[in-house]
Amino acid sequence: MYRKARIKEENTYCDRTPALLIDVDKMEANIRHMAMIADRHHKKLRPHAKTHKMPAVARKQLQAGAAGITVAKVSEAEVMAANGIDDIFIAYPIVTASKIERVLALAGKVNRLIVGIDSLEGAMQLSQTATKANAVIEVRLEIDTGMRRTGVLYEDSLHLASRIHALDHLNLSGIFTFRGAFMNGAPTLDLRSAGIEEGNLMAELAEKMKAQGIPISDVSVGSTPTAEYAAEVNGVTEIRPGTYVFQDQMQARLGVCTLDQCAGTVLATVVSRPSPNYAVIDGGSKTFATDVQPNTEPLQLRGFGHILGAPDAVLERLSEEHGVIRLNGNQPWKIGEQIQIVPNHICSTVNLHNNVYWVDGERIEKVKVLGRGMLE
Amino acid sequence: MYRKARIKEENTYCDRTPALLIDVDKMEANIRHMAMIADRHHKKLRPHAKTHKMPAVARKQLQAGAAGITVAKVSEAEVMAANGIDDIFIAYPIVTASKIERVLALAGKVNRLIVGIDSLEGAMQLSQTATKANAVIEVRLEIDTGMRRTGVLYEDSLHLASRIHALDHLNLSGIFTFRGAFMNGAPTLDLRSAGIEEGNLMAELAEKMKAQGIPISDVSVGSTPTAEYAAEVNGVTEIRPGTYVFQDQMQARLGVCTLDQCAGTVLATVVSRPSPNYAVIDGGSKTFATDVQPNTEPLQLRGFGHILGAPDAVLERLSEEHGVIRLNGNQPWKIGEQIQIVPNHICSTVNLHNNVYWVDGERIEKVKVLGRGMLE
């Protein structure tokens, strides 16, 4: 188990469980690894900061070679910009007046700000506000490559791109998609095929747009599971993985990383042992995200996280502040003992925590998750 | 839909969706209703503040007749005490040194502080620390009435109570349990039977303890679904519901309230309409809690929340910042339109938000969720 004794003895923060620990060595190795993948294929890397929401992590990603960062919200962009990040892509349709005004204000403060768009209505809102302000907003059109979420349907995208290209005060410079480990309308474990298909769909579409005179220069694709494969595709220019910075049990089960490469773990304390069959820890659904559920296809994750050093123990049930671990009778855990758990989904787990604890050799630093909780 | 136009036009906060709105009239009606139930049965009401985490709400509950409040964490107790709440029960086993020291410090600042306990090991830790500080800690023993979470097993509880009663510097004044809508090892919809059984189990146990000379004066039971029925039982002295203050889709489906009585709703904006079959809103799993999943027994909730004014629309899929609503083609929602959704589980949903918006007649107030995110 991870340097447990030392953390317990030397740092009072981590006696205050539950606490989310970030292993700095592992985080930095993950950052370097993805930068290397992008570099090998001569692609830009624009990590999605929704995973960490910490400007200090974004700076490490940029120092390792990232061209800029991706965020999901105007508020996240504002936090990043206020902390020195100056190339930001808000990969989300920004369609309401107050947010567009904030985008314009922010664009004046950073080197490059790009905004997602997936509809003519949204594009017209952006165009009108930009025109009034006598500014130009750089936009990328989101393409649905099969996830049925945001993104214009693939078959409608060429037509929409032409319409957007014709609007005043918008600079349509790229297209982007998100699909993750998903293909043919369902989750897949064939990440290579999924990533290559995703890249091909987007590269072909960009060619068609360019043939119509729309100067698409950025073709942005990829997620943590598919980035490595999508990056191989000619015509793709950028990958946008997020989770890779910390990794998690879901990615380990997908085969993207090992459990040992997961940089984020929840430190929890055993608070109750009423029976040899189970133990209760001081972390529940307000500590571990529940958006990636156990026992669902295709991953069949065991429990709400992987318990380090206890392969037979399963974090089986969560209520808000209780985690119930099913035991096979072999765990000698006593009340007060600390255990460490790799969560199923680190992005939504980080989002539950005001602060995380960076563990760097002998040093433990409490770091505020500056971008969390500002929903808009 | 809930005063939508007015909120949109008059308040810029609520143009910054997603936002969690609290209808103050409905909240106050819920508070009065539960106070009336407790009063009718001459039982004390000690609401669980984990639902709202806001001292201002706790004050309303106390003003309506509550005897004190319940919290799940030392940090929540600290926030409540710092904001004038002076009768607090931490219904959770506090077993580690630093937290016990914080409990002792807090006990000196409030009128009454009670701590949960469910093991001899935990009790000895508390006793030793209290003895060193020459203080007395008031404790309640948690009893497992079938949920298999924290709480000493029912059959072991009499023996453990005797041992705890004999420890120095602990004042074992009560017993408590939490079971919710659960009976015979499974979720139940027969709330009356569940509540009465829960009350009877606890009242009988208290009698046995008193017969052994353990002066149990508080017998604390109940949850939002069962409090009304458990309160009927002679020997029960206190109920501890939490969710009732706001209510949610889960409670409505249990029959505890109507959807119209739900005080907490998420205001979200339609950001994308790529197809007549679905719409995408700007709230996902970082806005709506996912601990209460759709389509599971026995509630079979439809989606991740109930969409007001659109009974056929289903909030079917969430990713972190996207909510995908399945439509039957009848919804004319345009991009930029706002909709309101009653979440499945309001407690864990409030926990995702730094601030909520109290809507009181013509007034909208941004209120910080002071107790959230302090996990320890």
Side-chain angles (χ1 to χ4, degrees):
Chain A
M1 231 168 284
Y2 180 101
R3 299 169 177 167
K4 195 187 64 181
R6 192 181 53 70
I7 289 171
K8 195 169 178 180
E9 286 159 19
E10 296 184 15
N11 196 285
T12 57
Y13 285 141
C14 291
D15 189 20
R16 295 173 68 155
T17 58
L20 180 52
L21 311 182
I22 302 295
D23 183 311
V24 175
D25 285 349
K26 292 180 183 182
M27 169 176 69
E28 290 180 344
N30 292 337
I31 288 172
R32 283 193 304 272
H33 180 69
M34 192 60 80
M36 189 192 70
I37 287 171
D39 196 52
R40 181 198 303 153
H41 298 290
H42 308 290
K43 303 293 155 73
K44 286 178 186 158
L45 170 61
R46 186 180 285 277
H48 205 311
K50 53 114 186 176
T51 301
H52 53 73
K53 297 196 177 210
M54 283 176 269
V57 176
R59 281 194 291 272
K60 284 184 184 287
Q61 292 174 315
L62 292 165
Q63 282 157 11
I69 66 158
T70 306
V71 298
K73 295 158 172 286
V74 179
S75 53
E76 288 174 358
E78 288 167 340
V79 167
M80 291 293 166
N83 287 275
I85 311 298
D86 75 347
D87 189 332
I88 303 172
F89 171 34
I90 307 174
Y92 202 88
I94 304 301
V95 300
T96 50
S98 70
K99 286 187 192 173
I100 296 172
E101 278 159 25
R102 286 158 65 196
V103 162
L104 282 169
L106 197 60
K109 294 177 189 166
V110 295
N111 188 36
R112 185 182 187 193
L113 184 69
I114 318 162
V115 177
I117 200 170
D118 80 344
S119 68
L120 187 62
E121 299 90 316
M124 287 172 66
Q125 276 268 15
L126 280 172
S127 170
Q128 284 161 13
T129 311
T131 302
K132 272 188 219 161
N134 198 27
V136 173
I137 301 179
E138 182 176 358
V139 297
R140 287 182 180 177
L141 179 61
E142 182 173 4
I143 311 296
D144 178 12
T145 49
M147 206 194 193
R148 298 291 179 271
R149 194 173 82 165
T150 47
V152 57
L153 298 182
Y154 194 83
E155 57 269 31
D156 298 337
S157 57
L158 198 56
H159 178 67
L160 179 59
S162 296
R163 300 284 303 271
I164 294 171
H165 180 55
L167 290 174
D168 288 337
H169 291 260
L170 293 189
N171 169 19
L172 176 61
S173 63
I175 56 176
F176 75 108
T177 194
F178 177 81
R179 202 173 65 170
F182 199 85
M183 198 166 60
N184 300 325
T188 182
L189 297 176
D190 183 359
L191 305 178
R192 169 174 286 275
S193 297
I196 289 175
E197 186 191 85
E198 179 192 342
N200 280 334
L201 283 167
M202 293 293 283
E204 287 163 18
L205 183 60
E207 286 310 309
K208 287 182 195 161
M209 289 181 180
K210 285 191 261 190
Q212 296 209 355
I214 308 166
I216 296 298
S217 41
D218 298 314
V219 180
S220 178
V221 304
S223 56
T224 291
T226 61
E228 176 174 359
Y229 310 110
E232 294 177 13
V233 176
N234 284 332
V236 161
T237 67
E238 180 184 282
I239 53 174
R240 297 188 330 279
T243 310
Y244 80 95
V245 65
F246 299 145
Q247 301 290 17
D248 55 24
Q249 185 175 221
M250 174 169 54
Q251 299 300 330
R253 195 59 74 100
L254 280 166
V256 172
C257 64
T258 64
L259 283 165
D260 191 54
Q261 290 170 326
C262 293
T265 55
V266 171
L267 186 72
T269 300
V270 175
V271 295
S272 181
R273 286 300 317 270
S275 149
N277 302 322
Y278 60 96
V280 185
I281 57 168
D282 59 355
S285 62
K286 289 176 174 172
T287 300
F288 297 91
T290 51
D291 54 343
V292 175
Q293 292 271 315
N295 307 321
T296 56
E297 291 294 342
L299 294 184
Q300 290 288 351
L301 294 172
R302 283 176 78 233
F304 287 94
H306 172 83
I307 305 170
L308 294 182
D312 296 335
V314 182
L315 180 56
E316 195 169 57
R317 284 184 289 138
L318 302 180
S319 42
E320 286 161 57
E321 305 292 358
H322 301 76
V324 180
I325 299 178
R326 177 164 48 83
L327 302 174
N328 61 4
N330 290 334
Q331 293 302 333
W333 292 336
K334 288 190 173 18
I335 286 172
E337 190 155 351
Q338 292 187 339
I339 62 175
Q340 253 181 303
I341 300 173
V342 178
N344 282 358
H345 190 191
I346 192 67
C347 310
S348 39
T349 295
V350 168
N351 184 60
L352 293 169
H353 295 250
N354 281 350
N355 301 287
V356 299
Y357 298 89
W358 287 23
V359 183
D360 186 3
E362 294 303 304
R363 192 157 154 264
I364 298 181
E365 186 185 356
K366 184 175 177 172
V367 178
K368 190 165 162 61
V369 185
L370 280 173
R372 81 147 298 288
M374 280 155 297
L375 290 172
E376 69 279 347
Chain B
M1 233 168 287
Y2 180 103
R3 300 168 177 168
K4 196 187 64 182
R6 193 180 53 72
I7 289 170
K8 193 169 179 180
E9 286 160 18
E10 296 183 14
N11 196 283
T12 57
Y13 284 141
C14 291
D15 190 20
R16 297 173 68 157
T17 59
L20 180 53
L21 310 182
I22 301 296
D23 182 310
V24 175
D25 286 347
K26 293 181 183 182
M27 169 176 69
E28 290 180 344
N30 292 339
I31 288 172
R32 283 194 304 272
H33 179 70
M34 192 60 79
M36 190 194 68
I37 288 170
D39 196 50
R40 180 196 306 153
H41 298 291
H42 308 291
K43 302 295 155 72
K44 287 178 185 159
L45 170 61
R46 187 181 282 280
H48 206 311
K50 55 115 186 176
T51 301
H52 54 73
K53 297 194 178 212
M54 283 177 268
V57 177
R59 279 195 292 272
K60 283 185 184 287
Q61 293 173 314
L62 292 165
Q63 282 157 11
I69 65 157
T70 306
V71 298
K73 297 158 170 285
V74 179
S75 54
E76 289 174 358
E78 288 167 341
V79 167
M80 291 293 166
N83 288 276
I85 312 298
D86 75 346
D87 189 333
I88 303 172
F89 171 34
I90 308 174
Y92 202 87
I94 305 301
V95 301
T96 51
S98 70
K99 286 186 192 171
I100 297 172
E101 278 158 24
R102 286 159 64 196
V103 162
L104 281 169
L106 197 60
K109 293 177 189 164
V110 295
N111 187 37
R112 186 182 185 193
L113 184 68
I114 318 164
V115 177
I117 199 170
D118 80 343
S119 68
L120 188 63
E121 299 90 316
M124 288 171 66
Q125 277 267 15
L126 279 172
S127 170
Q128 284 161 14
T129 312
T131 302
K132 270 187 219 161
N134 197 27
V136 172
I137 302 179
E138 183 176 358
V139 297
R140 288 182 180 176
L141 179 60
E142 182 173 3
I143 312 296
D144 178 12
T145 48
M147 208 195 191
R148 299 290 179 271
R149 193 173 82 164
T150 47
V152 57
L153 298 182
Y154 193 81
E155 58 270 30
D156 297 339
S157 57
L158 198 57
H159 178 67
L160 179 59
S162 296
R163 301 285 303 269
I164 293 171
H165 180 54
L167 290 174
D168 290 335
H169 291 260
L170 293 188
N171 169 21
L172 176 61
S173 63
I175 56 176
F176 74 108
T177 195
F178 177 82
R179 202 174 65 169
F182 199 84
M183 199 167 58
N184 300 325
T188 182
L189 297 177
D190 183 359
L191 305 178
R192 169 174 286 275
S193 298
I196 289 176
E197 185 191 86
E198 179 192 342
N200 281 332
L201 283 168
M202 293 293 282
E204 287 163 18
L205 183 60
E207 286 309 310
K208 286 183 195 161
M209 289 181 180
K210 285 191 259 191
Q212 295 210 357
I214 307 166
I216 296 299
S217 41
D218 298 315
V219 180
S220 178
V221 305
S223 56
T224 291
T226 61
E228 177 174 358
Y229 309 110
E232 295 177 12
V233 176
N234 284 332
V236 162
T237 67
E238 181 183 282
I239 52 174
R240 298 191 327 282
T243 311
Y244 79 94
V245 66
F246 299 144
Q247 301 291 16
D248 55 24
Q249 185 175 220
M250 174 169 55
Q251 298 301 331
R253 194 58 74 99
L254 280 166
V256 173
C257 63
T258 64
L259 283 163
D260 192 54
Q261 290 169 326
C262 294
T265 54
V266 171
L267 186 73
T269 300
V270 175
V271 295
S272 181
R273 286 300 317 268
S275 149
N277 300 322
Y278 60 97
V280 185
I281 57 169
D282 59 355
S285 63
K286 288 175 175 173
T287 299
F288 298 91
T290 52
D291 53 344
V292 174
Q293 292 270 315
N295 307 321
T296 56
E297 290 295 340
L299 295 183
Q300 290 287 354
L301 296 171
R302 283 177 78 232
F304 287 94
H306 172 83
I307 304 169
L308 293 183
D312 295 336
V314 182
L315 180 55
E316 195 168 58
R317 283 184 288 137
L318 302 180
S319 43
E320 288 161 57
E321 306 291 359
H322 301 75
V324 181
I325 299 178
R326 177 165 48 84
L327 302 173
N328 61 4
N330 290 333
Q331 293 301 335
W333 293 335
K334 289 191 173 15
I335 286 172
E337 190 156 350
Q338 291 187 339
I339 61 174
Q340 252 181 303
I341 300 174
V342 177
N344 282 358
H345 190 190
I346 192 67
C347 311
S348 39
T349 296
V350 168
N351 185 59
L352 293 169
H353 295 249
N354 281 351
N355 301 287
V356 299
Y357 298 88
W358 287 23
V359 183
D360 186 3
E362 293 303 305
R363 193 155 153 265
I364 298 182
E365 186 185 357
K366 184 175 178 173
V367 178
K368 190 164 161 62
V369 185
L370 280 173
R372 82 148 298 287
M374 281 154 295
L375 291 172
E376 70 279 345

